[in-house]
Amino acid sequence: MGDAYTVLIVGGGGREHAMGWSFGRDPRIRKIWFAPGNAGTAQLGTNLPFAATDVDGLTRWAEKERPGLVVVGPEAPLCAGLADRLRAKGLRVFGPGADGARLEGSKSFCKELLVSEKIPTAKAGSFTDEKEAVRFSTSLPCPQVVKADGLAAGKGVVIAETHEQAAKAIHEMMADRVFGEAGSKVLIEEFLDGEELSVHAVTDGKNLVVLPGAQDHKRVGEGDTGLNTGGMGAYAPAPKATPDLLREVKEKILQPTLAGLAKRNIDYRGVLYAGLMLTKEGPKVLEFNARFGDPETEVLLPLLETPLWDLLGAAADGKLRGTTVRTGAGAAMTVVLAAPGYPAQPVLGQPIRFGQGVADSAVFHAGTKADKEGIRVSGGRVMAVTGWGSNLENGRDRAYAAVREICFEGMHYRQDIGHRALRKSVA
Ligand code: AMP
Ligand code: GLY
């Protein structure tokens, strides 16, 4: 077993900075490495020169340095089998193997599991032949949803208002391969109407603990308009995620999913993140992710009172039974600061100016890079600025106060994060 209380966090976004921040608040933690990290994580620990998907490089490094725990942030290395490779070397890893990560990496695998376990989800068909896909699409009312089967960085989903739009999306995915191999298979599914909710559970493959419900804001513009993004802000707990609703999600969705994985001999240790639509008929699964959400992590971790080391370590060891999660009574909100032109064509390289820190807030870096002159923009989502307090209004006020202390050329962000819960914008 590796050196106790040392952690390798794989990834370099706001989610990984937030995890490092959370580990860093635990006085027992002696060392944190990030691969590759960003300018913010460099202030908490050591950034390693490995891409998150460099499975060989990371495996060689971890075998030599033997960190006490490895936490894999993004989906790509999980789907590429990083957790399997590290476990084979006797390391403690939080994150499913490639078999479990298919829940996120293959929408048709996910749908097959949901249907066979009778878990509520949109009706769908999956196709490798374009003509058959179009025939099925024509038989389904519009709007309908066309999805590339594989990983497409959150972009492989088209909501088609007409059958012509659906046929065009099918052609672009299957014939033109606009999402590469991810589009060799497509899923066509019924459109679900309602409000979206992210529910994260930490699991050791047998037991699971459910974290507070969170809401993301996927569209770039105010009032949920404009292009889809990786997420422009989030808050938790979402008022819609009542204890009764979370119990229903645990019993009807999360536990049957775990049972379905176990039936397929998949030992799943990591995050089960259900992207749900709250429909009139109850919560239905839109997708599963095999890792923490980004920016949801940036609001969930500041609320978490249970040390991350204890929670993720117990899941990695298969010893989650009896573990409970304690979260604070308050609420948190995070606002993503984006580069100009994001998400279509972000403009990068501009210097970032930081003012005063604000109490009960944290600035989690994502697309940032340090050089001799300071910190510069290096990615579309530049930072996630989180505020927390006794209620969501306090969290929002602190988050936006902290945002006002940061500036770079062309910076943009949504003024209305939390509008569903707060019913009015702060603008
Ligand atoms: P996914 O990657 O499957 O979560 O899809 C990305 C986004 O597309 C979701 O967050 C929803 O906003 C939307 N979406 C996906 N599937 C559906 C559906 N069946 N009905 C309505 N919206 C959907
Ligand atoms: N917040 C959306 C995601 O992490 O996929």
Side-chain angles (χ1 to χ4, degrees):
M1 195 50 65
D3 193 0
Y5 300 115
T6 64
V7 191
L8 166 64
I9 299 173
V10 177
R15 164 184 52 212
E16 287 76 21
H17 189 181
M19 291 198 265
W21 172 87
S22 187
F23 279 118
R25 296 207 299 178
D26 183 337
R28 298 169 299 174
I29 303 295
R30 295 193 298 105
K31 175 87 198 167
I32 309 172
W33 294 275
F34 299 86
N38 56 42
T41 64
Q43 296 167 8
L44 286 172
T46 304
N47 287 349
L48 302 172
F50 298 106
T53 48
D54 182 358
V55 174
D56 289 338
L58 286 168
T59 305
R60 271 197 301 275
W61 180 90
E63 196 180 359
K64 189 155 151 276
E65 297 295 335
R66 307 209 66 82
L69 180 66
V70 182
V71 181
V72 185
E75 60 277 17
L78 293 169
C79 290
L82 178 62
D84 306 289
R85 289 278 297 278
L86 296 173
R87 278 193 196 101
K89 303 285 181 194
L91 289 151
R92 274 174 101 202
V93 187
F94 181 79
D99 54 0
R102 287 179 71 210
L103 209 51
E104 173 165 4
S106 167
K107 290 185 190 291
S108 56
F109 171 77
C110 178
K111 190 63 80 175
E112 181 269 315
L113 187 143
L114 291 169
V115 171
S116 75
E117 304 304 318
K118 302 191 169 55
I119 296 166
T121 186
K123 286 188 201 66
S126 97
F127 304 92
T128 50
D129 180 82
E130 187 181 338
K131 276 207 192 82
E132 282 176 30
V134 172
R135 200 173 307 134
F136 181 79
S137 158
T138 315
S139 73
L140 211 63
C142 284
Q144 59 182 244
V145 189
V146 181
K147 301 184 174 186
D149 182 66
L151 290 183
K155 299 192 179 79
V157 175
V158 174
I159 304 205
E161 300 292 339
T162 64
H163 288 115
E164 290 70 38
Q165 280 176 14
K168 181 166 172 277
I170 293 166
H171 188 75
E172 285 172 356
M173 287 180 195
M174 302 193 84
D176 302 343
R177 293 291 165 99
V178 288
F179 303 115
E181 271 310 294
S184 57
K185 204 186 246 184
V186 297
L187 228 74
I188 296 167
E189 71 178 36
E190 158 198 29
F191 178 81
L192 298 178
D193 205 12
E195 215 174 284
E196 285 183 54
L197 180 73
S198 304
V199 177
H200 290 68
V202 170
T203 177
D204 65 358
K206 299 179 282 295
N207 312 285
L208 55 84
V209 293
V210 180
L211 303 180
Q215 254 175 343
D216 186 5
H217 298 62
K218 293 208 163 113
R219 301 295 197 93
V220 70
E222 317 267 303
D224 299 316
T225 55
L227 293 175
N228 255 326
T229 70
M232 293 298 289
Y235 62 96
K240 293 260 169 170
T242 59
D244 279 348
L245 182 86
L246 289 179
R247 201 170 309 119
E248 184 182 352
V249 170
K250 183 172 183 181
E251 286 169 8
K252 293 196 183 148
I253 294 174
L254 297 168
Q255 280 168 338
T257 301
L258 214 49
L261 289 165
K263 256 186 230 168
R264 290 160 179 79
N265 291 318
I266 296 172
D267 181 12
Y268 192 105
R269 301 178 184 199
V271 174
L272 257 185
Y273 156 5
L276 303 173
M277 190 68 92
L278 305 179
T279 72
K280 283 200 206 81
E281 292 129 50
K284 294 190 180 180
V285 177
L286 290 174
E287 64 166 348
F288 266 114
N289 292 318
R291 37 95 197 156
F292 277 110
D294 192 349
E296 288 92 333
T297 307
E298 290 94 308
V299 288
L300 290 174
L301 296 189
L303 296 175
L304 189 70
E305 287 176 352
T306 308
L308 205 52
W309 175 271
D310 297 343
L311 183 62
L312 306 192
D317 291 341
K319 291 184 177 156
L320 203 58
R321 178 184 288 273
T323 303
T324 50
V325 275
R326 292 184 310 281
T327 51
M333 183 181 293
T334 197
V335 179
V336 169
L337 308 183
Y342 177 79
Q345 271 185 318
V347 177
L348 313 178
Q350 46 291 50
I352 306 169
R353 287 189 298 281
F354 295 90
Q356 305 272 327
V358 170
D360 294 330
S361 77
V363 177
F364 299 122
H365 290 221
T368 67
K369 205 172 172 162
D371 63 18
K372 286 191 292 295
E373 279 134 57
I375 295 177
R376 289 179 187 276
V377 172
S378 69
R381 287 197 291 178
V382 182
M383 275 172 266
V385 181
T386 302
W388 56 89
S390 55
N391 57 37
L392 198 55
E393 284 82 354
N394 290 336
R396 173 195 61 191
D397 292 347
R398 284 172 191 149
Y400 281 102
V403 165
R404 284 191 289 274
E405 295 293 319
I406 299 169
C407 173
F408 57 86
E409 204 183 318
M411 168 173 125
H412 70 96
Y413 58 89
R414 278 182 58 169
Q415 308 260 0
D416 65 343
I417 302 302
H419 67 92
R420 285 198 190 79
L422 296 166
R423 265 179 265 118
K424 61 180 196 298
S425 120
V426 296

